Amino acid sequence: MSREAPADADIISDEELTALLAEAEGRTPEEIERGAAEIEIAPPEEAIAVDVDE
């Protein structure tokens, strides 16, 4: 099973995503960016896989 996005999937830029999140949360894009900068997110290759069915 492939996890790749279909070729026809809608792809948005980081700026567009930030704007959508800001609108949904009733905040400014700058507030969203500051909040994201405060969260430490590990790159996917450093993630720990967890089996939720166990």
Side-chain angles (χ1 to χ4, degrees):
M1 175 180 252
S2 175
R3 290 186 162 246
E4 292 181 26
D8 62 344
D10 291 333
I11 299 174
I12 62 172
S13 69
D14 289 344
E15 292 80 15
E16 291 170 315
L17 177 59
T18 300
L20 288 171
L21 289 170
E23 184 178 332
E25 293 292 321
R27 298 175 184 261
T28 66
E30 292 78 17
E31 289 174 314
I32 297 296
E33 289 291 333
R34 278 194 302 272
E38 293 172 5
I39 299 173
E40 202 171 305
I41 302 173
E45 58 272 6
E46 295 178 16
I48 298 172
V50 178
D51 187 355
V52 295
D53 292 330
E54 289 184 6

